[in-house]
Amino acid sequence: MPAERKLPGPAYLYDTGGFSMEGYCGFFLLPGEDELAIVDTGPSVTVDRVFDAIEEQGFSPEDVTDILPTHIHLDHAGATWRLLEECPNARAHIHENGIAFLTDPELVGKLMTSVEAAVGSERFPQYGTLQPIDVDRTRSIAGGETVAFGGRELELVDAPGHAPHQYNVFDLEASVLYVGDAAGIRCEGRPLLMTTPPPAFDLEAWRDTLDELEALEPDHVALTHFNVVDGAHLATFRGDLEAWVDRIRELRAEGHPFDETVQRLMKEYDAGLEVYDEATFRHEVRMNTRGVWDWLDEQG
Ligand SMILES: [Zn+2]
């Protein structure tokens, strides 16, 4: 399975093929000089795509040095434990707010329970399984750290808003910002979709994050779902995010209950049907409405 896109760095975007869709959920392979980094891992069920990509680039699992899941959602971090098993020289950089959910057996169980509750038992198998990882093979990230890479440095930037356990990876020299879910879903040739799920969507935090990300002035924004776009995407996304939250706020103010709000939003944002089948689209709109809805409840 060849890389979908080559990025400056160089780096390569690969498709996990996860969630029964091609061109939806990716991971990035960054070959350095003596380093090989992986940004986002996909879920554990598609980890063979990562091993294939490593081989295709002429490396072996022993060469992997750094695993950089941008946040602990399983489409980004779910294969971290499998990669650590097979890549003896790798360490995983995980946000300090999420690290216990990947290392503490009890919290790993809780994470899986909450994923199943959020996505429903029908979709749950697509998220794979999770085994606790050895904390000694992790590095806790608060934002502000760097990763030595290819004779230069990757900068890790705290990026809450979508989730409090998210960081972004900035390759300053190549001017590529790996955003995880901090700038929506923008699959090739398809409409921009939101990434505002429960339980921890936070618009205020997200605004600050976008301020910081825009200040980096990246030439390229690398989206795990699933594209490489130019830096102007950050401003476009910001506008769409504000409009999405405003629309939900408005429908609530008009007295529409949650289910009715979801129905209306599905009609208004039906461009999402170009990306998903109807059941998946309904699930996405419901989940992304729920995140905003709960946040608005908290705002009072
Ligand atoms: Zn996410």
Side-chain angles (χ1 to χ4, degrees):
M1 190 84 196
E4 292 287 330
R5 296 280 292 274
K6 185 176 177 190
L7 295 69
Y12 301 87
L13 166 61
Y14 280 90
D15 194 349
T16 65
F19 307 94
S20 313
M21 274 177 275
E22 298 294 327
Y24 170 68
C25 179
F27 63 92
F28 298 91
L29 211 64
L30 284 69
E33 285 165 8
D34 300 313
E35 303 88 1
L36 181 61
I38 298 166
V39 176
D40 283 337
T41 70
S44 65
V45 280
T46 58
V47 72
D48 284 345
R49 291 274 185 110
V50 186
F51 292 125
D52 289 350
I54 291 168
E55 198 183 311
E56 192 201 83
Q57 293 296 329
F59 296 94
S60 72
E62 286 76 20
D63 297 320
V64 177
T65 51
D66 299 282
I67 301 166
L68 297 148
T70 54
H71 60 298
I72 67 166
H73 290 160
L74 296 186
D75 47 336
H76 298 259
T80 303
W81 70 275
R82 286 283 292 116
L83 289 168
L84 286 172
E85 269 184 352
E86 305 292 331
C87 306
N89 302 311
R91 65 176 172 164
H93 307 258
I94 302 166
H95 196 286
E96 62 178 4
N97 292 338
I99 197 163
F101 288 92
L102 297 184
T103 55
D104 177 327
E106 201 175 313
L107 292 179
V108 167
K110 276 194 179 160
L111 175 60
M112 292 308 276
T113 307
S114 79
V115 172
E116 185 166 13
V119 305
S121 50
E122 201 175 308
R123 293 170 61 83
F124 183 57
Q126 299 185 320
Y127 287 79
T129 57
L130 210 54
Q131 292 291 328
I133 59 185
D134 179 356
V135 75
D136 290 342
R137 299 195 58 198
T138 65
R139 177 192 188 203
S140 179
I141 300 301
E145 296 84 355
T146 58
V147 178
F149 192 79
R152 55 190 208 273
E153 283 178 338
L154 302 175
E155 296 172 20
L156 307 186
V157 184
D158 190 25
H162 168 72
H165 46 74
Q166 180 167 253
Y167 67 83
N168 282 184
V169 181
F170 186 44
D171 184 340
L172 175 66
E173 198 168 288
S175 200
V176 179
L177 179 66
Y178 298 86
V179 291
D181 281 347
I185 293 173
R186 184 77 171 86
C187 301
E188 183 77 45
R190 293 166 176 173
L192 175 59
L193 299 177
M194 285 298 121
T195 44
T196 59
F201 163 72
D202 182 342
L203 181 62
E204 302 289 347
W206 209 326
R207 284 175 177 150
D208 293 344
T209 290
L210 288 168
D211 286 344
E212 281 196 37
L213 299 182
E214 285 191 84
L216 297 172
E217 299 184 353
D219 289 338
H220 311 278
V221 173
L223 297 145
T224 303
H225 307 287
F226 175 96
N227 215 332
V228 183
V229 293
D230 68 38
H233 173 80
L234 293 174
T236 305
F237 173 72
R238 184 196 287 264
D240 281 21
L241 174 65
E242 295 286 353
W244 169 250
V245 176
D246 283 348
R247 185 66 186 126
I248 295 171
R249 193 185 273 120
E250 208 170 73
L251 288 165
R252 279 165 61 108
E254 288 168 12
H256 299 288
F258 179 78
D259 283 339
E260 214 176 284
T261 300
V262 172
Q263 288 305 324
R264 282 182 170 246
L265 291 169
M266 276 187 68
K267 283 201 192 94
E268 291 173 17
Y269 293 88
D270 66 349
L273 286 168
E274 292 169 32
V275 183
Y276 301 113
D277 60 86
E278 193 174 338
T280 307
F281 180 56
R282 183 181 300 111
H283 165 77
E284 282 292 326
V285 172
R286 174 171 285 273
M287 189 168 70
N288 287 315
T289 305
R290 174 53 72 189
V292 176
W293 193 274
D294 290 355
W295 181 77
L296 289 168
D297 278 345
E298 273 169 38
Q299 306 306 298

